[in-house]
Amino acid sequence: MIFVTGGAGFIGANFVLDWLVENDESVVNIDKLTYAGNLESLASLESDKRHIFVQGDIGDASLMAELLEKHHPRAVINFAAESHVDRSIHGPEAFVQTNVVGTFHLLETIRAYWNKLEGDNKADFRLLHVSTDEAYGSLAKDDPAFTEMHRYEPNSPYSASKAASDHLVRSYHHTYGLPVLTTNCSNNYGPYHFPEKLIPLIIVNALAGKPLPVYGDGQQIRDWLYVKDHCSAIRRVLSAGTTGETYNVGGWNEKPNLEIVYTVCSLLDELRPRADKQNYAEQISFVTDRLGHDRRYAIDARKIEHELGWKPAETFVTGIRKTVQWYLDNQQWVVNVQSGAYRDWLETNYQD
Ligand code: NAD
Ligand code: TYD
């Protein structure tokens, strides 16, 4: 079996759902259930014995050690993190606590577990650490995209805390020989995305008739990766990646934010026209820019393609249509997120 940490969050939940479709191998899912953890995203697995959910903190060494001894996973995939840049600007401490200190404790616990493994179990064990392109910093308009050799220049408390965790992971390979893999991916989008991030926020606000906040001039560029493509990349790196290596994962979809917002608006105009027949783009509202806002991220994903044969299946055109349609089809999930009802899911549905 495998361990997934942070598997009730956006990417982790998509990963667990896809994993159990692609494999018959069980998953122990350890998640602290912060505001970003939503077990309702995993509702379809409620009676699936292959999914074992444990509410816990990656920094809780005794809990993690106990779980490792009990279940003997062959791999740990670490998604657990504080992940929202704006929140890191307003309150960086939680980011240092989970992303840096939490990852450190996780590494220590896994090292102790791995040290006791023998033979093939030891040789085949993997820790896959999920990181971000934001650790590389910001690019100018004509700079080449980030390769794995680009130096780390994180600019926000979020990206600095992720960069710190990446360095710790790297050092545990170099110093102790721990078999680690690191992936640095671009901005994910798709189902179960918490509506504090750009794309789900725009969809949800548009449908609610609220303003669509665009920071600054809206010309900041991100690369957009459909979350299910990210999940397939992680599966590929886990099965074929070389330990100690990092792999950039991107969607080859660099776009300015304003273009993203217009694309979402025009899809909504087509799929769920406004009652007054006006365009959703009328709701766009330019607001004060984010502090220290990175201008451009871009991923050069040739290494994972050449070495591991992975490339994304979705273009932005296909992925964003699926995403908008998913939000239209899953309004109750959105309502429960907005009302906070998703936080009662554990008590209501996981009594034992
Ligand atoms: P998310 O915020 O949606 O989910 C994070 C999950 O981790 C939540 O379920 C939360 O409850 C859990 N968690 C937080 N602190 C924890 C702790 N101390 N112990 C255990 N669980 C804890 O984040 P996401 O968007 O799913 O991102 C997952 C990972 O991918 C993160 O490491 C993030 O840095 C990275 N990443 C995300 C993106 C993106 O576009 N979303 C891009 C690049 C990298
Ligand atoms: P976000 O989804 O928060 O991801 P990240 O900051 O990790 O890239 O933001 C994506 C881009 O959209 C980023 O440049 C900030 C911008 N943005 C807005 O313009 N308006 C918003 O309401 C949000 C949440 C983000």
Side-chain angles (χ1 to χ4, degrees), residues 187 198-199 202 211-224 253-267 280-287 289 293-295 316 320:
N187 283 56
L198 179 67
I199 289 179
I202 295 301
L212 312 180
V214 173
Y215 298 168
D217 62 3
Q219 292 309 312
Q220 303 82 5
I221 293 172
R222 301 288 182 264
D223 173 69
W224 294 93
N253 285 310
E254 262 189 77
K255 304 217 178 291
N257 292 340
L258 195 56
E259 189 180 325
I260 299 289
V261 174
Y262 272 113
T263 304
V264 169
C265 287
S266 61
L267 276 167
Y280 284 100
E282 306 252 324
Q283 292 165 229
I284 291 174
S285 163
F286 289 90
V287 299
D289 209 352
H293 200 169
D294 282 341
R295 202 65 188 163
F316 191 69
I320 194 66

Side-chain angles (χ1 to χ4, degrees), residues 9 78 86 95 160 196-197 229-230 252 288 326:
N78 182 33
D86 293 322
F95 289 72
E196 63 180 353
K197 307 276 171 68
D229 279 331
H230 185 200
W252 300 107
T288 310
W326 186 88

